[in-house]
């Protein structure tokens, strides 16, 4: 059950939903009821798959970005596009960061970044973040 909770939270956190997968991961690590390497894998897979949804939405975004219900303000979308233009696909290494990470994955789709390169870089970035949290956990406990 804890793996599903973590997966759903990590998936949702990678989209534009305001969820915190890091808190769930750390709580599960502290409880010690689940295997840490499985938790890291589940969190990474969920978060990367959520980013893949963003990438796919980015491919389709041109049709919807001027709609009132669109979840990303035009200003934030433009900021993410500027970062992507400046740094190219390397900006995906920032996909793990709060605030700008999710829009960058969406912009990667908008800019028609190749999916396999997108997947590779986002997996490194997001998996690296969870690995750093695990190392932090080991240092504290």
């Amino acid at each position: 059950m804890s793996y599903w909770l973590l997966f759903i939270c990590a998936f949702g956190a990678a989209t534009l939903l305001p969820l915190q997968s890091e808190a769930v991961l750390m709580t599960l690590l502290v409880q010690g009821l689940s295997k840490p390497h499985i938790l890291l894998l589940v969190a990474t897979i969920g978060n990367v798959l959520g980013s893949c949804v963003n990438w796919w939405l980015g491919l389709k975004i041109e049709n919807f970005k001027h709609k009132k219900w669109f979840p990303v303000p035009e200003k934030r979308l433009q900021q993410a596009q500027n970062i992507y233009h400046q740094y190219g696909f390397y900006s995906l290494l920032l996909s793990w960061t709060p605030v700008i990470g999710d829009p960058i994955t969406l912009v990667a789709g908008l800019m028609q970044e190749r999916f396999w390169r997108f997947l590779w870089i986002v997996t490194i970035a997001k998996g690296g973040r969870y690995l750093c949290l695990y190392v932090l956990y080991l240092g504290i406990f």
Side-chain angles (χ1 to χ4, degrees):
M1 182 67 171
S2 59
Y3 295 126
W4 280 111
L5 172 67
L6 179 59
F7 177 85
I8 290 167
C9 208
F11 182 91
T15 64
L16 301 174
L17 297 174
L19 298 173
Q20 293 296 318
S21 61
E22 297 88 353
V24 175
L25 174 64
M26 293 302 279
T27 300
L28 293 172
L29 286 171
V30 168
Q31 287 177 344
L33 302 175
S34 304
K35 296 180 180 183
H37 64 284
I38 303 291
L39 290 174
L40 295 177
L41 183 64
V42 167
T44 300
I45 290 171
N47 214 240
V48 169
L49 287 176
S51 292
C52 289
V53 169
N54 289 347
W55 176 86
W56 181 82
L57 289 172
L59 289 175
K60 310 297 180 191
I61 202 170
E62 287 296 323
N63 301 324
F64 304 107
K65 71 179 185 179
H66 296 295
K67 301 282 185 184
K68 194 174 199 172
W69 52 262
F70 190 72
V72 181
E74 181 102 20
K75 183 179 177 182
R76 258 184 66 189
L77 188 59
Q78 186 60 50
Q79 287 173 330
Q81 280 182 298
N82 291 342
I83 290 171
Y84 205 86
H85 274 298
Q86 187 173 3
Y87 299 105
F89 64 87
Y90 291 111
S91 63
L92 289 169
L93 290 171
L94 298 175
S95 63
W96 66 271
T97 60
V99 181
I100 66 168
D102 299 335
I104 287 173
T105 60
L106 190 122
V107 168
L110 178 65
M111 307 301 278
Q112 299 191 6
E113 180 61 59
R114 290 182 302 199
F115 179 72
W116 295 111
R117 181 163 57 182
F118 169 87
L119 186 63
W120 178 248
I121 294 171
V122 169
T123 300
I124 290 169
K126 292 185 177 261
R129 172 196 48 202
Y130 290 123
L131 186 59
C132 287
L133 285 172
Y134 180 61
V135 169
L136 176 66
Y137 160 77
L138 291 176
I140 294 172
F141 296 99

